[in-house]
Amino acid sequence: MAAGTADTQRGVHQRRRRHRNSEQRGGSECEAGNDSRSPREAGGGKGDEMPNSHAECDRIDDLKEKMERLKKDLVKQFEGRVEELVQMLVHETALSLPSRTNENGKGSENTNNRNLKRPPEEGKLFLPRKSLLDELFEMNHVRTIYHMFIAALILFIISTIVVDFIDEGRLVLEFDLLAYAFGQLPTAIFAWVCMFLSALMVPYCLLASWARAYHAARARRYLVSVIYGFILATYQVLGLGAGPVYVALWHKLPPASCFIVILEQVRLVMKVHSFVRENVPLIMKAKDAGKQAPVPTFGHYLYFLFCPTLIYRDTYPRTATIRWKYVAINFAQVLGCLFYAYYILVRLCIPLFHNFSKQPYSLRILVLCIFNCTLPGVLVLFLAFFAFLHCWLNAFAEMLRFADRMFYQDWWNSTSFANYYRSWNVVVHDWLYYYAYKDFRWLFRGRFRAAAMLSVFTLSAVVHEYVITICLGFFYPVLFCLFLGFGLAFNFLMHDKRTSPIWNVVMWTEMYIGLGIIVCLYSQEWYAQQQCPLRKHTFLDLITPRSWSCKQVL
């Protein structure tokens, strides 16, 4: 009797202990362990044997915990996607709504308060969002593609070392091409410092001075605006326009150093235009209302010159912290892309044109050259996109806590060239859309939509050809003709209604051919410029491609 009582008490204690463990684990104990009945009552089997062992219960608890963690992760991802979708829907809805007015019929926006957000219909709306590749790289399947490119880079390095060791009989680790391309780098940096300081001081001082003069000159505001506008245009043409070109041509900067100067020149010109274009209407509205001019602070303008956007705002969405490891990784990837491009040129392009010089120039050789240049062209396109639009811009955005990281969209999925032009480089597209396309439509009161699109394409083609002409040192409008001719035609033929996947294949095929033509023709002209000097220095000889008259292209 005493033994039975002791067994009963022991069973009660075991059940209470299991119940306490179940509560500590949040109720994750398996049901068999939580059964309040005695072993004999529960199982009716073999004596005191439990129906489920403690090891099985632990495995079930671990499985439930993993399922709970997976459930939380899925809910978190779903909530993030829903939040992004809601933000985009709010933005699109705001764009379609008219601006609100008060009872007197005047706008309810306080033009003197610069901290208030602009109405969505007046320009781009900045939202906190990550870059697309950062989101895609969180998936192992997509990150494997990134690993494949790294493996290809390693293969290029090994191939170059092995070939140099076989040809030279020793290990050659010279980077003559990089050393030449980035020659006279101190001169380029000095030119950039001068450009930046002038773009920092001159436009801001002119805007502040114009705001005061515009307020004081009640009857001659138009004349004051014309005078200050002429001064700003003169600075844009001579200071930011002719100055950097003179430095590049006078010092004969090599291609990479010249690209640094000219691309920064174009960037600063676009920044200055956006700063003036966004602030002048606000100042004029404030003057019409008899209020003090809402001139932005110097710190706002300084931040704008560095942040990765070409649309000026007084404030942008900001992140809470700076991830310096993320910054370092992005800059390291930029350096890796630079060496990647070097090995592509060494292994795929230079040998091609050395062999090309040993045969007579003919249409057959030209066609073979174009198709052989498609792979280097596509690889360089990927590297330029990844190095600049993803790594470089994200690194600066992280250092400046700039939260809107949509510098590009999924351009690789485009089924039309119209969508490709919009999603390839969102930073430049926004500037062209708001300051070229929309201003053109506003100037002509919403008419001539086709003419507005043509003006945007022409401006973009001229700027691209200008950069290449100055940096390479010769005029050969291949990109201009392809961009303004075939690019404009494909923009209307392959429009947004082309949604079938076959059009994505068509777009990539045309892009491969276009990149092959660009790399082949510009490379031929580069070697022709080096090997075939001019006999006459007339204007016609200067603008005529040298590869047309050169007997051999080395």
Side-chain angles (χ1 to χ4, degrees):
M1 186 61 126
T5 304
D7 292 339
T8 304
Q9 292 178 353
R10 191 182 302 111
V12 171
H13 288 306
Q14 290 178 355
R15 288 194 297 272
R16 289 178 178 176
R17 185 164 55 251
R18 287 196 300 269
H19 183 67
R20 286 196 300 270
N21 294 337
S22 173
E23 292 179 348
Q24 292 176 357
R25 289 189 244 181
S28 63
E29 188 72 42
C30 59
E31 294 179 359
N34 284 332
D35 198 341
S36 60
R37 295 175 296 173
S38 64
R40 295 181 183 272
E41 295 174 350
K46 298 179 181 180
D48 294 339
E49 182 180 353
M50 298 292 295
N52 289 315
S53 65
H54 292 291
E56 293 176 349
C57 293
D58 291 339
R59 284 195 296 269
I60 294 175
D61 292 340
D62 293 339
L63 180 60
K64 289 183 177 180
E65 290 177 1
K66 292 179 180 179
M67 292 177 64
E68 288 293 331
R69 288 196 299 268
L70 179 61
K71 178 181 177 181
K72 292 179 180 179
D73 293 339
L74 292 176
V75 170
K76 184 177 179 181
Q77 294 179 8
F78 177 76
E79 290 177 350
R81 296 294 183 181
V82 170
E83 182 180 358
E84 293 180 2
L85 179 60
V86 170
Q87 289 176 347
M88 295 301 297
L89 290 176
V90 170
H91 182 203
E92 294 177 358
T93 304
L95 287 175
S96 62
L97 292 177
S99 58
R100 296 182 179 180
T101 58
N102 55 22
E103 295 178 356
N104 297 328
K106 298 180 180 180
S108 60
E109 181 187 6
N110 185 5
T111 57
N112 193 35
N113 187 1
R114 299 190 61 88
N115 294 326
L116 293 178
K117 293 183 179 180
R118 299 164 185 261
E121 65 270 18
E122 291 190 4
K124 177 181 174 63
L125 179 65
F126 290 89
L127 301 171
R129 46 196 166 188
K130 297 168 62 177
S131 289
L132 182 57
L133 283 184
D134 283 338
E135 294 181 348
L136 293 178
F137 283 160
E138 295 177 358
M139 296 184 291
N140 292 332
H141 299 291
V142 178
R143 193 164 186 84
T144 301
I145 301 176
Y146 173 74
H147 296 160
M148 294 167 61
F149 275 90
I150 296 178
L153 173 60
I154 296 174
L155 182 62
F156 274 126
I157 296 173
I158 295 175
S159 174
T160 304
I161 293 175
V162 170
V163 171
D164 290 341
F165 186 81
I166 294 175
D167 294 340
E168 302 291 338
R170 59 187 177 86
L171 185 62
V172 180
L173 294 176
E174 298 177 353
F175 297 96
D176 296 337
L177 183 60
L178 284 178
Y180 164 73
F182 286 93
Q184 303 186 45
L185 188 60
T187 303
I189 295 176
F190 178 76
W192 176 84
V193 171
C194 294
M195 281 192 302
F196 179 80
L197 292 178
S198 66
L200 178 65
M201 301 303 299
V202 175
Y204 185 82
C205 294
L206 283 176
L207 182 70
S209 178
W210 170 78
R212 292 190 296 267
Y214 188 81
H215 178 73
R218 298 181 180 275
R220 300 181 178 179
R221 290 179 176 179
Y222 178 77
L223 179 61
V224 170
S225 300
V226 170
I227 293 175
Y228 277 91
F230 177 77
I231 296 174
L232 179 63
T234 303
Y235 163 73
Q236 288 274 67
V237 173
L238 298 180
L240 286 181
V245 174
Y246 174 79
V247 172
L249 297 181
W250 178 260
H251 292 278
K252 297 181 179 179
L253 296 179
S257 299
C258 192
F259 269 110
I260 294 174
V261 174
I262 301 302
L263 290 178
E264 279 297 293
Q265 174 202 35
V266 175
R267 184 183 74 92
L268 291 175
V269 168
M270 298 170 76
K271 290 262 189 180
V272 170
H273 179 82
S274 176
F275 174 71
V276 175
R277 170 65 180 80
E278 293 289 341
N279 284 283
V280 165
L282 296 179
I283 294 174
M284 296 179 68
K285 290 179 181 179
K287 295 306 179 184
D288 293 337
K291 299 179 180 180
Q292 187 178 359
V295 179
T297 64
F298 186 77
H300 289 157
Y301 181 52
L302 178 62
Y303 180 86
F304 170 65
L305 289 182
F306 281 103
C307 70
T309 181
L310 296 174
I311 307 296
Y312 176 79
R313 294 289 183 270
D314 290 335
T315 57
Y316 300 94
R318 308 284 288 274
T319 58
T321 58
I322 300 176
R323 298 171 294 172
W324 290 106
K325 181 180 179 181
Y326 179 80
V327 174
I329 290 175
N330 277 293
F331 280 129
Q333 291 180 138
V334 171
L335 189 62
C337 290
L338 180 64
F339 282 98
Y340 210 143
Y342 165 78
Y343 284 112
I344 289 174
L345 294 176
V346 170
R347 300 303 306 154
L348 299 179
C349 287
I350 294 179
L352 173 65
F353 289 100
H354 277 302
N355 295 331
F356 178 75
S357 65
K358 298 178 181 179
Q359 303 180 28
Y361 187 78
S362 63
L363 181 60
R364 172 180 175 274
I365 299 300
L366 177 62
V367 173
L368 292 177
C369 173
I370 290 174
F371 283 102
N372 288 330
C373 288
T374 54
L375 178 59
V378 172
L379 291 177
V380 170
L381 176 73
F382 290 158
L383 291 174
F385 158 75
F386 184 74
F388 179 71
L389 291 176
H390 179 74
C391 298
W392 186 265
L393 295 183
N394 270 293
F396 272 88
E398 187 69 27
M399 290 190 295
L400 297 172
R401 298 195 295 114
F402 186 82
D404 194 339
R405 310 289 176 86
M406 195 181 72
F407 309 126
Y408 55 88
Q409 295 177 349
D410 56 337
W411 55 270
W412 48 86
N413 291 327
S414 299
T415 56
S416 66
F417 274 92
N419 183 69
Y420 168 76
Y421 293 142
R422 290 192 299 266
S423 57
W424 157 256
N425 189 341
V426 175
V427 179
V428 175
H429 172 266
D430 288 339
W431 192 94
L432 291 173
Y433 176 73
Y434 288 109
Y435 302 138
Y437 178 78
K438 291 195 69 175
D439 284 355
F440 186 96
R441 298 292 303 276
W442 171 82
L443 183 63
F444 292 96
R445 299 182 179 181
R447 296 175 295 178
F448 309 118
R449 180 175 179 271
M453 295 180 61
L454 180 62
S455 66
V456 171
F457 270 90
T458 303
L459 177 62
S460 181
V462 169
V463 172
H464 279 81
E465 192 59 43
Y466 159 77
V467 172
I468 293 179
T469 299
I470 299 298
C471 295
L472 296 184
F474 56 82
F475 177 72
Y476 197 11
V478 176
L479 183 60
F480 179 83
C481 295
L482 290 178
F483 196 91
L484 192 59
F486 293 97
L488 184 61
F490 289 146
N491 181 71
F492 289 101
L493 293 176
M494 298 179 60
H495 44 76
D496 291 332
K497 295 182 180 179
R498 312 290 191 183
T499 58
S500 174
I502 190 63
W503 290 105
N504 183 250
V505 177
V506 173
M507 191 205 73
W508 274 107
T509 303
E510 294 170 348
M511 187 177 297
Y512 284 161
I513 297 175
L515 291 171
I517 293 174
I518 291 172
V519 174
C520 177
L521 295 184
Y522 277 119
S523 298
Q524 288 183 15
E525 184 64 21
W526 171 266
Y527 281 99
Q529 293 280 334
Q530 305 298 321
Q531 300 297 327
C532 301
L534 277 177
R535 298 178 181 178
K536 298 180 181 179
H537 293 276
T538 62
F539 177 75
L540 183 60
D541 292 331
L542 289 175
I543 65 174
T544 302
R546 201 81 53 87
S547 57
W548 293 2
S549 59
C550 186
K551 296 299 182 182
Q552 286 185 340
V553 181
L554 300 180

